[in-house]
Amino acid sequence: MKKLLFAAAGVLALSLPAQDAAARPTIEELQKRAVLDDYEANVLFGYNIVMDSNRYAPRYAGNALRCSSCHLDGGTRPDGFPLFVAGVYPKWRAKNGVRNSLEMRIRDCFLYSLSGVMPPEEAPEVLAVSAYISYLSYGKSIGTPPQGWGVPTLPETGADPDPARGQAVFRRACTLCHGADGAGTAVAPPLWGFQSFNAGSGMNVVPRLAGFIWANMPMGAERSLTHQEALDVAAFLHIQHRPFDPREGRLRKLAEEIYHGLSRLFGARAPAAPTGR
Amino acid sequence: MSLLREAVPDLRWRRSVDVRREVAAGLVGALLVIPQAITFAYVAGVAPEYGLYCAVFVGFLASLLGNSPMVGGPNTAVSILIGLTVLPFAGRGSPLYTELVLALSLMVGFIQLLMWLGRAAALFRYFSPAAIIGIKAGVGVWLIASALEGATGMGPMTVKFLYEKFYIVLAGWQELVNPYATLVSGVTVAAGLLLRRRWRRSYVVLAVLIGSIVGGLVYGWLGPVDSDLELLGHVTLDALPFRIPTLGPPHWLFLELAIAPAIAIAILGLAQSLVIARDLKSTVAPHLDLHKEVFAQAMANALGPFFSSFAGSGSFNRTAIALEMGARTPLSGMVAALAVVLIAWLLGPVLTYLPMPVVAGVMVLVGIGMIQPRELRPMLNRIDGPVLLVTLFAVIFLGLESGILVAVTASVIFFVASASQVRLAISHQGEAEHIRVTGNLFYASIDRLAKHLHANPAAVTSLDLSRVPFRDATAMQLIERIQRERVRCGGKLEVVEEG
């Protein structure tokens, strides 16, 4: 009896590494399964949110974008803001000046890029996306950024980004999918306006946006633009109208405006600008 | 046949209905149920829209099938129990979690239908009011404790005992507590408590309004990042959220494991509804059929999951308000249910920015409302007092499920104890002894009489049993045995039944 138990334990011990080495199930396999454990169900929920944020996370999503609008191919494409980055979190970020857990980082995306309501860190939607990210990170390096992280940083071109030239490039290369007014079409997301990312999001930083455009746009003819063209288009997008940066308290802004208006009106009372002396 | 009569809607109330009053009561009810529905959805761990669906569909069906002005819909104790039951099986609020909540509600509905077939309304008579009040007060304490995380802007805590939460918050407040969230929830609670004296009906709505204004100012001044205030988020209401509850292998497995809690939820829901219904029967609706009311609640819960609603029951506070507004028929409940759709749809964009600490504040207010000194005071007698205290402590320290079992047991024990009180009036007429017994003679109450009769086997006694409505075999056998013993010893025991 005892022998049998040992034998069973042995078989179990042998089978464990074998199971470990087996490839993780693909999303398609998970979708076909009748029974999922909690982690797998969560991964699938996360995948659904990434592919269709408005349908699966309606409570917190705020615009017409979805996670996969920027995290291309459901976050699997290198140089297209891939999501297989669980290995580098928690990490310090300059954006909010604190150490960010993966969940904290995800809720930023809801607030800025999806221009919605910031979910709490333990919201089911956040935990699901977090599970999906760690699922994608299977086999990637831990502690160092994986290959193809973020977007490429473009080299110095020697010329400033020019929105006017960018507009020309936009008309030539982008309008087919994104529409002449940048409001998006059935195949591509809106680039500005109230249905796009807000002024506080990472996409609103010109060098990063330029890197994304150069590496991934136009779809089907990636890396066909020059570095300078990508920078110009990015600058053109940057100056468009989009939702405000939610980090600024609107009421405080309003109070500041009123204060400045009043101090301009009563010029004598306003503190004098420092002079060179 | 009578079952069929109970199962089809009885619309006889149409003949004598004051439509204007009913509609007014319904509209006020709808306004009041919205904060509660959102709060109870949060308590049950599902998205806010499910609470609204529950208010709409469970409320409507319960009123349509029932025959009283009782207002149904989301219920505190039921929501807490649903949350506690499903939490170990799935991530709170995830799609699987929601499916399990609906599957559980379906099972609760069917258990209640079985209880209807088993004529449960008669059985629930033995559930003592003291136990119900004890459960209510205990649920109030639970609700206040579960509001703590939301009120202080913390993540959910898992603790073994309720009071650990208060300790954790007090010990680590500097790191854990978000001052802005605490401010907003504090203002909501304080406003509610102050306004409760003046506006007994609508103080919750006013408190929500004031809390939201303060929350909006804080949020507007500091922005979402600095204030870290959690908002409700978009409430996506479907006009007809029809769905067939998913019942795959994991759901069946869950249902198998959740039978005991489901029975507890079913009992708790029906017990509360029946307390309300019995109250209505004795006051405004003398022709109310309790069995029909059980059927209405059961069917509403069984059909609710097909409209994305979790289980509910009759609501003490909303029914009281409807009565105060002059509601006398099920029409007010139906109007309230339909008006919820309209109001929630109109409020939709504003609701998005409802700060969650306000919801936590509503939880505290509802919790305080459930601990009513007015209700507790009459219970401080020898029979109700112990039942109430035992139930209350069991609910707080052992949890709701065990608390219900304790409540039933305590009700029965103290009922038996009170029923076994027997009074012996002993008088002497010369040699003869006359004993008049008042009370029930049965195995539990026979001791004193037996002891007295055994004491002097030679005496001549006439035993007056005319005031003994109930006597069991044990008692009668004992009397016969003593009669034989008396004959042996030269005494006599005569049983008389004087008119």
Side-chain angles (χ1 to χ4, degrees):
Chain A
M1 188 62 209
K2 223 172 192 179
K3 249 181 197 169
L4 208 69
L5 265 178
F6 276 126
V11 167
L12 209 69
L14 281 176
S15 67
L16 273 179
Q19 207 177 22
D20 201 46
R24 67 191 166 134
T26 63
I27 292 291
E28 288 75 25
E29 277 167 14
L30 288 182
Q31 280 167 333
K32 274 185 211 131
R33 278 201 204 160
V35 182
L36 298 171
D37 66 21
D38 183 63
Y39 175 74
E40 291 161 346
N42 214 13
V43 166
L44 204 55
F45 183 31
Y47 170 78
N48 287 335
I49 292 175
V50 167
M51 298 311 282
D52 197 347
S53 314
N54 265 313
R55 179 157 163 225
Y56 290 95
R59 197 169 165 190
Y60 300 115
N63 57 23
L65 301 188
R66 46 195 66 180
C67 305
S68 57
S69 297
C70 308
H71 304 285
L72 299 173
D73 301 343
T76 57
R77 192 194 289 189
D79 288 340
F81 292 120
L83 288 174
F84 42 72
V85 293
V88 298
Y89 286 95
K91 79 184 184 79
W92 187 88
R93 288 172 71 231
K95 186 160 187 166
N96 49 15
V98 291
R99 223 172 273 142
N100 283 223
S101 64
L102 191 51
E103 285 79 19
M104 213 166 170
R105 176 69 191 83
I106 292 164
R107 70 200 204 133
D108 273 12
C109 274
F110 277 99
L111 180 63
Y112 301 112
S113 303
L114 289 178
S115 195
V117 171
M118 186 159 73
E121 272 174 72
E122 64 279 351
E125 288 86 349
V126 172
L127 292 177
V129 175
S130 169
Y132 177 63
I133 290 177
S134 48
Y135 160 88
L136 285 183
S137 309
Y138 183 90
K140 302 288 178 194
S141 60
I142 285 184
T144 54
Q147 280 289 315
W149 188 39
V151 291
T153 307
L154 300 186
E156 283 285 335
T157 53
D160 282 345
D162 180 353
R165 284 199 309 260
Q167 188 176 24
V169 179
F170 182 82
R171 283 194 183 135
R172 171 165 58 82
C174 312
T175 45
L176 187 62
C177 298
H178 288 287
D181 53 355
T185 60
V187 293
L191 298 177
W192 63 81
F194 284 112
Q195 289 302 321
S196 191
F197 54 87
N198 67 37
S201 65
M203 270 297 205
N204 204 31
V205 177
V206 172
R208 198 176 296 158
L209 182 52
F212 179 81
I213 291 169
W214 178 76
N216 301 295
M217 294 288 146
M219 275 206 178
E222 293 89 350
R223 309 197 181 213
S224 60
L225 299 176
T226 64
H227 291 161
Q228 186 60 45
E229 281 171 334
L231 277 167
D232 292 342
V233 174
F236 173 68
L237 294 186
H238 183 78
I239 61 167
Q240 300 304 321
H241 175 75
R242 57 183 71 256
F244 64 85
D245 186 343
R247 275 172 295 187
E248 304 161 356
R250 290 284 102 184
L251 281 177
R252 191 177 47 197
K253 274 279 165 215
L254 187 70
E256 281 170 11
E257 291 294 328
I258 293 171
Y259 174 77
H260 284 302
L262 286 179
S263 41
R264 229 171 291 137
L265 210 62
F266 304 104
R269 300 241 179 107
T275 52
R277 279 179 289 165
Chain B
M1 201 54 219
S2 75
L3 286 187
L4 196 66
R5 203 169 54 237
E6 281 164 28
V8 289
D10 170 14
L11 299 175
R12 264 177 304 175
W13 51 262
R14 271 176 315 167
R15 281 181 227 146
S16 56
V17 62
D18 183 348
V19 175
R20 265 184 46 201
R21 278 193 162 187
E22 301 284 331
V23 169
L27 290 177
V28 171
L31 200 62
L32 292 175
V33 75
I34 286 176
Q36 286 190 9
I38 290 169
T39 308
F40 296 161
Y42 176 73
V43 170
V46 290
E49 47 265 34
Y50 292 95
L52 294 171
Y53 291 148
C54 179
V56 175
F57 293 99
V58 173
F60 185 79
L61 289 170
S63 287
L64 178 70
L65 297 169
N67 55 354
S68 76
M70 176 160 73
V71 182
N75 173 277
T76 335
V78 171
S79 305
I80 291 185
L81 262 183
I82 289 176
L84 289 175
T85 306
V86 184
L87 192 58
F89 295 95
R92 201 181 139 89
S94 61
L96 180 65
Y97 183 96
T98 310
E99 284 169 13
L100 292 186
V101 166
L102 295 183
L104 178 68
S105 304
L106 193 64
M107 183 154 75
V108 169
F110 276 99
I111 291 172
Q112 288 179 333
L113 279 177
L114 287 179
M115 289 178 170
W116 168 65
L117 288 175
R119 308 281 86 183
L123 277 178
F124 277 106
R125 270 206 304 263
Y126 302 109
F127 213 88
S128 92
I132 293 278
I133 291 173
I135 290 176
K136 247 178 86 180
V139 168
V141 174
W142 266 92
L143 202 59
I144 294 170
S146 5
L148 199 62
E149 293 104 320
T152 52
M154 301 165 58
M157 284 187 261
T158 314
V159 290
K160 200 163 172 57
F161 292 108
L162 287 183
Y163 51 80
E164 286 173 33
K165 283 188 178 181
F166 295 96
Y167 174 76
I168 291 172
V169 171
L170 286 179
W173 65 273
Q174 280 172 314
E175 293 86 43
L176 295 174
V177 170
N178 174 353
Y180 306 113
T182 315
L183 173 77
V184 173
S185 57
V187 165
T188 310
V189 173
L193 291 182
L194 284 175
L195 295 172
R196 198 164 61 149
R197 295 189 192 161
R198 181 76 179 70
W199 288 280
R200 284 203 18 248
R201 289 201 287 257
S202 50
Y203 72 93
V204 170
V205 173
L206 293 174
V208 166
L209 213 61
I210 294 175
S212 306
I213 290 171
V214 173
L217 287 177
V218 171
Y219 188 85
W221 188 264
L222 294 166
V225 180
D226 290 340
S227 67
D228 205 7
L229 272 187
E230 190 190 338
L231 302 183
L232 183 67
H234 307 280
V235 179
T236 38
L237 275 184
D238 282 336
L240 197 66
F242 185 76
R243 68 196 269 173
I244 292 165
T246 330
L247 288 177
H251 308 78
W252 285 113
L253 203 66
F254 159 75
L255 288 182
E256 211 176 303
L257 293 168
I259 286 179
I263 293 174
I265 296 172
I267 290 178
L268 197 61
L270 278 191
Q272 293 184 75
S273 305
L274 280 171
V275 167
I276 300 170
R278 282 216 311 264
D279 198 37
L280 292 173
K281 193 176 167 68
S282 63
T283 53
V284 297
H287 303 298
L288 190 149
D289 179 355
L290 290 179
H291 292 298
K292 192 172 175 58
E293 219 47 55
V294 171
F295 173 79
Q297 291 295 329
M299 207 59 199
N301 285 341
L303 291 179
F306 292 93
F307 299 98
S308 311
S309 324
F310 55 80
S313 87
S315 156
F316 286 105
N317 55 18
R318 295 199 303 275
T319 305
I321 288 162
L323 287 184
E324 220 171 287
M325 296 287 295
R328 292 292 177 270
T329 70
L331 182 63
S332 62
M334 288 189 248
V335 171
L338 296 179
V340 166
V341 183
L342 193 72
I343 297 177
W345 178 73
L346 286 175
L347 282 180
V350 186
L351 276 184
T352 303
Y353 296 96
L354 182 73
M356 287 309 272
V358 172
V359 173
V362 173
M363 279 166 81
V364 173
L365 286 175
V366 175
I368 292 174
M370 295 183 90
I371 311 168
Q372 293 275 10
R374 195 159 39 82
E375 278 180 350
L376 293 174
R377 217 167 288 126
M379 292 293 155
L380 294 176
N381 56 47
R382 270 184 49 215
I383 296 161
D384 292 328
V387 175
L388 189 143
L389 285 181
V390 166
T391 308
L392 180 60
F393 278 96
V395 169
I396 294 176
F397 292 102
L398 303 178
L400 263 174
E401 268 171 59
S402 323
I404 293 163
L405 282 182
V406 170
V408 174
T409 318
S411 310
V412 171
I413 287 176
F414 282 91
F415 171 72
V416 169
S418 67
S420 60
Q421 300 274 326
V422 183
R423 230 153 21 100
L424 305 179
I426 301 166
S427 56
H428 291 275
Q429 291 165 339
E431 281 288 285
E433 187 188 27
H434 184 85
I435 304 178
R436 199 172 66 194
V437 185
T438 313
N440 292 319
L441 276 185
F442 64 111
Y443 58 90
S445 64
I446 194 87
D447 285 356
R448 244 180 86 206
L449 181 68
K451 202 176 161 195
H452 183 81
L453 291 177
H454 274 304
N456 188 0
V460 175
T461 308
S462 69
L463 193 62
D464 178 1
L465 295 187
S466 62
R467 297 193 179 188
V468 179
F470 170 76
R471 53 202 87 162
D472 75 343
T474 317
M476 295 325 285
Q477 281 165 6
L478 188 91
I479 289 171
E480 278 166 26
R481 210 162 53 234
I482 293 172
Q483 273 175 333
R484 283 199 296 275
E485 189 189 292
R486 291 260 168 124
V487 170
R488 258 205 323 278
C489 300
K492 195 179 171 202
L493 175 65
E494 193 185 9
V495 175
V496 290
E497 310 258 355
E498 292 159 0

